[in-house]
C-alpha cells in the first residue's frame, strides 16, 4: 500500500481521538449523524446518550443502511439500547422506519443483524408494525429461498453464499416473530428450508420448530430434523 493510505489512516485515527476526547451537546451529535464524515458519525453514534424526538430517531436510523460498516455497527448497538427503553421506543415506531428495519436484519455484518433483531423485538406488541414487517419478512424470505433452492452448493459461489447468509438471518428473525407471522407463510417457509443442503438453513428451520406448533405436519418435520445428519440441526 502506498504512503497516502497510511497518511489517511493516521489522519482518521487522530481525528477520531480528538473527537472522542471532546464533549458535544446532544444537538451537535445529532448534526454529526446527519451530515458528518465517517469518523464523526461513528463517534456521534457512540457518544449519543439518548433520543429526544422522532426526528432524532430518524437521523439515527438513516445511518443504519447505506453507510460505512463502522457507522452501521455503532448505530445498531445504540439502537439496541435505545429501543429497550420504554421511554424512548415510541420514537422508533413510525411506519417509515419499517423498511429500514427489514433491510438491516440482513446486513452483511452479523453483529448488526443481531443488534437490530434484538432492538425490533421490543416492537412485538405493536400490531401495525408486526403486520407490515412480518409480511415483508415472509416475502423476503421466500425470495431468498427461490434463489438458494437452485444453488449447487458444491460450486461454492460467493454471490449465492451471500444469499444463504441473508436467508439465515431472515429465519433467525422469524424465530423471534414466529407467532406474529402468517401461519401458512411460516409453514411453507419451514417446509422449503428443511430441504436446503446448507446445514445452517436447516438449523434455523429446526430452531423455529423448537417453538412447538400444534400442527401434525410441522411436528413430523421437527422429528425429521431431530434425526438430521448434522449435530447443529438435530440439537433442537
Amino acid at each position: 500500500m502506498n504512503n497516502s493510505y497510511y497518511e489517511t489512516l493516521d489522519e482518521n485515527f487522530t481525528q477520531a481521538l480528538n473527537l472522542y476526547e471532546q464533549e458535544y451537546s446532544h444537538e451537535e451529535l445529532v448534526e454529526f449523524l446527519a451530515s458528518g464524515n465517517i469518523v464523526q458519525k461513528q463517534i456521534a453514534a457512540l457518544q449519543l446518550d439518548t433520543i429526544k424526538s422522532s426526528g432524532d430517531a430518524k437521523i439515527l436510523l438513516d445511518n443504519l443502511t447505506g453507510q460505512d460498516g463502522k457507522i452501521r455497527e455503532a448505530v445498531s448497538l445504540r439502537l439496541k439500547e435505545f429501543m429497550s427503553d420504554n421511554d424512548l421506543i415510541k420514537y422508533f415506531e413510525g411506519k417509515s422506519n419499517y423498511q429500514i428495519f427489514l433491510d438491516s436484519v440482513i446486513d452483511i455484518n452479523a453483529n448488526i443483524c443481531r443488534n437490530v433483531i434484538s432492538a425490533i423485538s421490543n416492537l412485538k406488541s405493536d400490531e401495525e408494525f408486526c403486520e407490515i414487517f412480518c409480511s415483508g419478512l415472509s416475502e423476503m424470505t421466500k425470495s431468498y429461498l427461490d434463489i438458494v433452492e437452485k444453488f449447487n452448493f458444491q460450486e461454492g459461489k460467493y454471490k449465492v453464499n451471500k444469499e444463504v447468509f441473508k436467508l439465515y438471518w431472515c429465519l433467525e428473525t422469524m424465530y423471534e416473530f414466529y407467532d406474529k407471522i402468517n401461519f401458512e407463510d411460516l409453514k411453507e417457509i419451514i417446509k422449503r428450508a428443511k430441504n436446503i443442503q446448507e446445514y445452517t438453513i436447516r438449523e434455523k428451520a429446526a430452531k423455529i420448530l423448537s417453538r412447538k406448533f400444534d400442527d401434525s405436519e410441522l411436528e413430523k418435520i421437527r422429528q425429521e430434523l431431530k434425526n438430521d445428519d448434522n449435530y447443529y440441526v438435530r440439537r433442537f
Side-chain angles (χ1 to χ4, degrees):
M1 294 183 183
N2 57 37
N3 289 335
S4 63
Y5 169 82
Y6 291 105
E7 288 170 2
T8 301
L9 198 63
D10 288 342
E11 288 172 4
N12 288 343
F13 178 79
T14 301
Q15 183 185 20
L17 189 61
N18 290 336
L19 284 168
Y20 200 77
E21 289 177 343
Q22 295 182 49
E23 290 187 7
Y24 297 94
S25 68
H26 178 85
E27 290 69 27
E28 286 173 323
L29 292 173
V30 171
E31 181 57 33
F32 277 153
L33 281 170
S35 57
N37 59 30
I38 291 175
V39 175
Q40 289 171 330
K41 288 189 173 191
Q42 184 185 16
I43 296 298
L46 293 172
Q47 288 197 357
L48 197 67
D49 59 5
T50 192
I51 293 293
K52 295 183 177 180
S53 67
S54 297
D56 286 356
K58 188 67 171 68
I59 289 171
L60 184 69
L61 287 171
D62 283 344
N63 287 285
L64 192 56
T65 59
Q67 298 290 334
D68 181 86
K70 299 183 189 70
I71 298 171
R72 300 198 318 276
E73 185 162 1
V75 168
S76 72
L77 184 63
R78 303 320 304 281
L79 189 68
K80 178 181 174 181
E81 296 174 21
F82 294 147
M83 290 185 68
S84 66
D85 188 322
N86 290 333
D87 293 326
L88 301 181
I89 192 168
K90 61 188 176 185
Y91 297 130
F92 296 93
E93 292 175 341
K95 197 180 290 188
S96 62
N97 298 330
Y98 297 175
Q99 187 61 47
I100 297 173
F101 291 138
L102 199 58
D103 293 338
S104 58
V105 296
I106 55 168
D107 193 283
I108 196 65
N109 181 326
N111 289 331
I112 295 171
C113 301
R114 290 188 192 93
N115 289 337
V116 174
I117 292 170
S118 178
I120 63 175
S121 292
N122 294 290
L123 290 173
K124 287 180 182 177
S125 62
D126 186 328
E127 292 184 7
E128 181 184 63
F129 169 76
C130 289
E131 180 180 354
I132 297 174
F133 176 82
C134 290
S135 175
L137 177 63
S138 294
E139 291 307 308
M140 184 166 69
T141 305
K142 290 177 187 178
S143 71
Y144 287 125
L145 276 166
D146 289 341
I147 297 170
V148 173
E149 283 172 332
K150 298 172 184 175
F151 181 48
N152 180 351
F153 283 87
Q154 302 304 315
E155 296 177 7
K157 293 179 180 177
Y158 176 68
K159 180 180 178 182
V160 184
N161 283 343
K162 286 201 301 185
E163 308 306 327
V164 171
F165 185 85
K166 291 178 180 180
L167 177 58
Y168 174 98
W169 286 106
C170 282
L171 295 171
E172 180 66 16
T173 309
M174 286 193 155
Y175 171 76
E176 291 297 329
F177 286 87
Y178 76 101
D179 57 342
K180 309 296 182 184
I181 296 169
N182 177 277
F183 181 72
E184 292 305 319
D185 285 338
L186 185 64
K187 187 172 180 178
E188 176 194 339
I189 287 165
I190 291 172
K191 287 168 67 175
R192 295 171 67 183
K194 80 174 180 69
N195 294 320
I196 299 296
Q197 288 178 270
E198 169 57 44
Y199 83 87
T200 59
I201 302 304
R202 301 198 309 279
E203 177 191 1
K204 289 303 170 189
K207 185 175 180 180
I208 295 171
L209 288 172
S210 71
R211 293 293 198 181
K212 305 289 180 62
F213 297 90
D214 186 17
D215 182 274
S216 59
E217 193 171 7
L218 289 184
E219 177 58 23
K220 183 178 178 181
I221 295 172
R222 189 173 78 88
Q223 294 301 325
E224 177 185 334
L225 292 174
K226 273 190 168 296
N227 291 292
D228 195 272
D229 291 338
N230 187 281
Y231 163 76
Y232 293 101
V233 177
R234 64 176 182 266
R235 65 182 172 145
F236 289 106

